Each structure stands twice: as C-alpha cells, then as structure tokens.
Amino acid sequence: VIYWSTYTPDLDTRVAGGTVAPATAYYWGFDINGGIAYLFYYDGSLNVYYKTTTDGITWSAAQPYTVVWPSPYTNNILYFTQMAVTDAGNPILVFDNIDGDDGTWPYYGKVYVSTGSGQPCTKVSSEFGAVDTECFYPTIATGGNMAAVLYCMPRNNEPDSLNWNDFYVVWSTDNGQTWGTPINYTQSL
C-alpha cells in the first residue's frame, strides 16, 4: 500500500493523508513540477498507473500509463525505478531491465527511459565494448529543457561489482527526446 501525508509548511501539523494506491501497488516514483505532483506506481503484471494532485490533499483517479517495454532479454525483470517531471510538465520514467535468465553475478542490466505513454523506451546506459554490463540504480533529474540520468556501472566490467563502480551520466537537452553518449564522471578517481 502506498500512503501519503501532507503537512503545513513548518511540518508541524498534518493536514491530510491516507492511502493513494492499492495494496497491489509497487512504488515507481514521485515528483512535482509546475504545481502538479505526480505519483507513479505499477502492479504485479507491470501495468503502470499515475495519480496527480495540485493541492496535496485531493488526488486524481488512477490514470494508465502505457510503457512500451523493451525486449532485450527472453526473461525481463524490472528493477530500480525512478521518475522526474520536466518543466514542461512531462514525466520521464527511468528503470533497470535485468536478464532474468542470467544466473551469474554481476547480473547484466540495461537502463531505459520512457518519455511518454505509448512511446517506445530508449536505452540510455552504456556498454563495455560490445558487451552489456551491469548498469544499475538509475536516477533522473530535470530542469529547463535538460534531463540527466545517473547510474552505476562496474569499472572495467570487473566481476566484483561491489568494489569498483563508476558513475555515468547521460544528458538530454530536449526533455528526453534524444540522449547523448554516457559520460564516466569517476573514471579517474
């Protein structure tokens, strides 16, 4: 169950609260921009929904958001999820897609964004040579026409991914419609 609470600006008094998504919901992400707050969640069948509020008290009815899931693997597993709302009011969803048939560690994953309901997802993570590597825990931020996705990737595709991770950033200058080449921000550290 996903709960919500709204407090006064001094965080001293709870104004309202309750359940915003059913017991079958899994949290995807929350963001606010332009006076509209968005809450995204999904169910066990990977149907994605969102609700909005403009006052922090009254929520809209659940609206479906159609993710056109990528199919790079025979058995796909949705992993870490986040979302952000652009200044233009468009949500961008980001998530890991893990190969469910891969029994080795580290698991090989890819990072994707969805920039609109019914639109194909775009892979934004990098590869190590021609081989996909573990790209995990993506997060997203937006501002102006910019969007940036940050994620981790094992350094030099090392098998012990808990030790040598680099942080990669990939930018969009058109609200997520096109993405540049991922940049390794920690390769020299």
Side-chain angles (χ1 to χ4, degrees), residues 43-105:
D43 64 19
S45 298
L46 297 181
N47 298 304
V48 179
Y49 303 93
Y50 69 94
K51 289 186 172 184
T52 61
T53 182
T54 56
D55 62 6
I57 298 171
T58 306
W59 289 88
S60 70
Q63 301 293 314
Y65 181 96
T66 303
V67 175
V68 179
W69 297 103
S71 54
Y73 304 121
T74 303
N75 183 12
N76 296 286
I77 297 176
L78 176 66
Y79 215 46
F80 295 107
T81 60
Q82 292 287 321
M83 60 85 56
V85 180
T86 67
D87 288 353
N90 302 317
I92 300 177
L93 284 61
V94 64
F95 61 95
D96 284 355
N97 192 35
I98 305 290
D99 183 355
D101 294 326
D102 184 1
T104 62
W105 178 257

